[in-house]
Amino acid sequence: MRQEILRVEATRNRRRFLKFLFSSPLLLGVSHQNNWAQQADAPGQADLRHAINVFDLEAVAQAKIAPHHWAYLASGGDDEKTLRANADDFDLYQIRPKRFVDIRQMDLSCELFGQRYPSPLFLSPVGSQKAFHPEAEVATAKAAAQRGHQMVLSSVSSFSVSEVAASYGRAPWFQLYPTDVWSVTEGIIRRAEDAGCPALVLTLDNGASSNRERLIRERLNSKVPCNACHTPGPQGYLSTRGTYRGLDLSSITTHLGVYTWELIDRIRNLTKMKMVAKGIMTAGDAALSVERGFDAVWVSNHGGRQLNSLFAPIEALPEVVQAVNGRCPILLDGGVRRGTDIFKALALGASAVCIGRPYIWGLGGFGQAGVAKALELLDAELLTDMKLAGTPTIAAITSSFVQRRQR
Ligand SMILES: Cc1cc2nc3c(=O)[nH]c(=O)nc-3n(C[C@H](O)[C@H](O)[C@H](O)COP(=O)(O)O)c2cc1C
């Protein structure tokens, strides 16, 4: 009997090993990042517990999300040079470790706008999350709450700000796209304020539609026309977005209005929420944001989805930090995929570091549990990296821990 058990176990081990071997990047000549999904019999059935990095979640999400929605998530501007640079350019910086540091007690907590967080990792606003999972922002909110991460809700979210606040246990930060009709813009700001949102994020880099060729191509090839599910025009689009429900949308011509200083001042006079300028990429705009009363600056190029050939946020960070000169907190997103990326952004002066696609990969693959897993994986990597670099606290991660790659 025991012999038989050992034989079965040996066969099983051999099969596992062969599966590993044949799916090895060494044999297949493919990137290490796809390894996990290829090992699973079908990526859609992969076991969440075996995900070891966020790229594992990406592979499953791609298998589960409808191709046209995947194209919406994955696409960048034009030929996606900026999208690639966002992630790749973290490699322009290298970590300089410090020895003789006591790393037995570690603390990843940080403070922003008077609130203490267990981790400096925040969730960037991502619109239309029902395209990726039916529980959409509700699942995201529950996962973020479960782990204490700050969630920033898109104004074009599938669920309303009050529905998301109920799932989050408190109000998230609210990101705002202004329409071209003030009463609608005012209406959604009031809804965010009434829900208790402490901060309003003005996205400044999306005042015009960009050329997302991957998405355009997928639309042309898709057997499912977008109009089969989406009513065309801004009214049709916004009427399905929770926060706009019940507002008079009849006279708007765009849901992506342009931010003028007149509009920004009008918003400033309307709300007591902290105001965050998202999409800042240069020292000049950073300085202007602080001088004109923004409470924080968010270095971002919209995940490489807007202007192509724009440099990566990690490259913009040093000049923004210098221009802000400690006058307000600085957030950063774009291409953050590893604990080391978070570490480098913190070292270069970010107060919090945000992710967009990686948590959506978790959502698309596994719902709430997947979002929680993405956050857990990145926190775990950051913790390890902090130990190895010799920085027991977030405050200890300073510019002396990075150097620009020589070459
Ligand atoms: C599918 C998708 C939808 C997005 N929707 C919004 C949005 O509604 N508002 C906004 O300010 N930014 C939006 N963004 C940009 C993100 O907030 C963030 O800047 C970007 O995703 C960060 O880059 P990363 O995806 O490489 O982490 C979106 C990004 C993606 C991928």
Side-chain angles (χ1 to χ4, degrees), residues 341-376:
D341 300 338
I342 304 172
F343 185 97
K344 290 173 190 177
L346 294 170
L348 289 171
S351 319
V353 182
C354 321
I355 48 167
R357 293 180 186 84
Y359 79 83
I360 298 293
W361 296 335
L363 178 71
F366 302 95
Q368 178 186 341
V371 177
K373 185 72 177 185
L375 298 168
E376 180 196 321

Side-chain angles (χ1 to χ4, degrees), residues 27-68:
L27 285 187
L28 293 176
V30 296
S31 116
H32 165 76
Q33 293 163 2
N34 295 325
N35 200 8
W36 184 63
Q38 282 155 357
Q39 281 182 53
D41 293 328
Q45 287 156 23
D47 185 337
L48 181 59
R49 287 169 306 178
H50 297 164
I52 60 167
N53 58 40
V54 294
F55 301 107
D56 285 345
L57 302 176
E58 178 184 18
V60 180
Q62 183 167 9
K64 286 194 176 177
I65 293 173
H68 38 285

Side-chain angles (χ1 to χ4, degrees), residues 102-108 382-383 386-387 391-393:
D102 186 352
I103 51 164
R104 287 171 300 176
Q105 294 285 330
M106 300 295 294
D107 181 5
L108 266 68
L382 176 61
L383 175 65
M386 285 169 65
K387 284 182 186 166
T391 53
T393 63

Side-chain angles (χ1 to χ4, degrees), residues 124-125 127 154 175 177 203 278 300 302-303 305 333 335 337 356-357:
S124 298
S154 163
Q175 175 271 328
Y177 287 137
T203 298
K278 179 172 185 272
S300 173
H302 215 99
R305 293 164 76 75
D333 73 17
R337 305 290 182 261
R357 293 180 186 84

Side-chain angles (χ1 to χ4, degrees), residues 72-75 83 86 124-127 132 154-156 175 177 201 203 205-206 278 298 300-305 333-337 354-358:
Y72 164 63
L73 173 65
S75 63
L83 173 66
N86 282 0
S124 298
V126 171
F132 314 119
S154 163
S155 53
V156 289
Q175 175 271 328
Y177 287 137
V201 176
T203 298
D205 54 15
N206 207 15
K278 179 172 185 272
W298 188 325
S300 173
N301 60 21
H302 215 99
R305 293 164 76 75
D333 73 17
V336 175
R337 305 290 182 261
C354 321
I355 48 167
R357 293 180 186 84

